[in-house]
Amino acid sequence: MSNHNKIRPVDKKDLKGKYKILFSTPQSKNSKIPHEFRGLQIFKNKKDAELALKKRIDLTELLREKNRKLMEGNQRAIGNSGGNKLNLIQFSSEIQNLKKLKIKRAIELIKQGNTKTRTMELLIKEFKLKRDPNNGWPNWLRDIKIN
């Protein structure tokens, strides 16, 4: 349960007194979030606290929209356009079908008595993968359980 961005009375007995909001504190020193919206802030009355919270939520949306626009055309992660997860290459049907084939073949190889390490070596050769066998097993191979 998060205590961030919630209006609470400073003194629980005096509900008409001062109010506080605990805003999250950015880890970066060059954050675009003003100091008035960082850490614990105390307000004279509930209206001031509500206004500050609304401004902070509006600022969050504004910053998210700016970040979305900055990500458009980003080619650092091929297939990732504008931060939309559905555009990632690993979600394409071709990649998913290849993954299913590799899993199916891995199960066959393991049932034949091969170790997971040997199975990975054989999969790299069979599917002509550009993967260093010393990098360990991918998660899908690690999760395969054969009884």
Side-chain angles (χ1 to χ4, degrees):
M1 187 171 113
S2 174
N3 290 327
H4 291 96
N5 297 341
K6 293 183 181 168
I7 300 172
R8 300 174 194 271
V10 173
D11 181 7
K12 291 181 182 179
K13 294 175 186 172
D14 182 13
L15 298 178
K16 294 182 181 178
K18 295 183 178 183
Y19 286 85
K20 63 184 175 181
I21 301 176
L22 179 61
F23 294 112
S24 60
T25 303
Q27 300 301 311
S28 173
K29 291 181 181 180
N30 60 351
S31 173
K32 296 176 183 172
I33 299 171
H35 288 282
E36 65 187 281
F37 298 128
R38 296 183 189 187
L40 182 65
Q41 299 292 327
I42 307 291
F43 300 92
K44 293 178 184 176
N45 55 47
K46 194 168 186 174
K47 278 191 176 184
D48 289 346
E50 289 170 348
L51 181 64
L53 184 58
K54 183 183 179 331
K55 285 182 180 179
R56 177 63 176 97
I57 291 169
D58 291 345
L59 176 65
T60 299
E61 267 311 304
L62 178 73
L63 293 174
R64 281 188 184 146
E65 186 59 36
K66 282 185 178 181
N67 286 340
R68 278 188 212 109
K69 287 181 181 175
L70 287 173
M71 286 296 292
E72 288 176 7
N74 181 357
Q75 296 299 316
R76 287 181 286 172
I78 298 171
N80 184 2
S81 173
N84 185 347
K85 276 191 165 185
L86 297 175
N87 291 333
L88 293 174
I89 287 176
Q90 67 255 33
F91 293 123
S92 73
S93 59
E94 295 170 4
I95 299 295
Q96 289 297 312
N97 290 336
L98 178 63
K99 182 178 176 181
K100 288 176 187 174
L101 288 172
K102 289 189 289 187
I103 291 171
K104 185 177 178 182
R105 181 67 177 132
I107 291 170
E108 291 171 4
L109 291 169
I110 291 171
K111 283 183 178 178
Q112 291 173 5
N114 292 299
T115 64
K116 287 188 178 181
T117 302
R118 178 68 182 142
T119 299
M120 191 66 227
E121 291 170 358
L122 293 170
L123 290 173
I124 289 171
K125 287 179 186 171
E126 284 183 34
F127 289 93
K128 298 177 183 154
L129 303 175
K130 296 176 184 172
R131 180 182 175 92
D132 184 356
N134 296 324
N135 284 349
W137 307 328
N139 289 338
W140 58 263
L141 181 60
R142 189 176 304 126
D143 296 339
I144 291 177
K145 305 256 189 280
I146 305 294
N147 294 333

